[in-house]
Amino acid sequence: MAKKSAIEKNNRRRRLVARDAEKRAELKAIAKDESRELEERFAARLKLAELPRNGSKVRIRNRCDMTGRPRAYYRKLGVSRIAIRDLGSKGLIPGLLKSSW
């Protein structure tokens, strides 16, 4: 099980990303628009830099839904390899045959 603080920090980042997504998208569109004036584009970049860093989507870490483990994460299932093994042993994943000898 991962530390509660690490899981909570990641959840806080998810909330910030959801809150700031629209504003970030607007500012990025202005900054990348070649038809706008250079000063306006630069001002958009400065405003983008003032936003909290944790509001950026790349700051979110993929974590296992069951344990919070940050590594060996399978995106398709949303859990780590260890959780897949446990669920497979219990027969809870349809189509998965876990062999053990």
Side-chain angles (χ1 to χ4, degrees), residues 10-81:
N10 206 41
N11 291 339
R12 195 174 327 118
R13 286 178 177 156
R14 286 185 192 278
R15 287 191 298 270
L16 268 174
V17 167
R19 187 189 74 186
D20 294 343
E22 191 176 319
K23 191 171 188 178
R24 255 177 207 285
E26 283 179 19
L27 289 173
K28 280 187 179 182
I30 292 170
K32 289 183 179 180
D33 189 5
E34 295 283 332
S35 64
R36 295 186 184 254
E37 291 184 23
L38 189 62
E39 291 82 17
E40 187 179 2
R41 292 172 59 202
F42 186 68
R45 284 280 176 201
L46 289 177
K47 283 186 179 180
L48 191 62
E50 287 175 4
L51 292 175
R53 287 185 176 184
N54 281 336
S56 177
K57 191 171 182 173
V58 298
R59 301 280 285 221
I60 296 174
R61 179 79 186 193
N62 287 332
R63 288 185 172 271
C64 175
D65 292 335
M66 294 176 60
T67 61
R69 182 181 165 84
R71 300 186 187 242
Y73 174 83
Y74 287 85
R75 287 181 183 205
K76 190 171 184 179
L77 300 172
V79 293
S80 68
R81 63 179 174 83

Side-chain angles (χ1 to χ4, degrees), residues 1-10 63 67-70:
M1 190 72 185
K3 292 190 335 185
K4 295 275 187 190
S5 60
I7 295 171
E8 212 34 58
K9 185 187 290 185
N10 206 41
R63 288 185 172 271
T67 61
R69 182 181 165 84

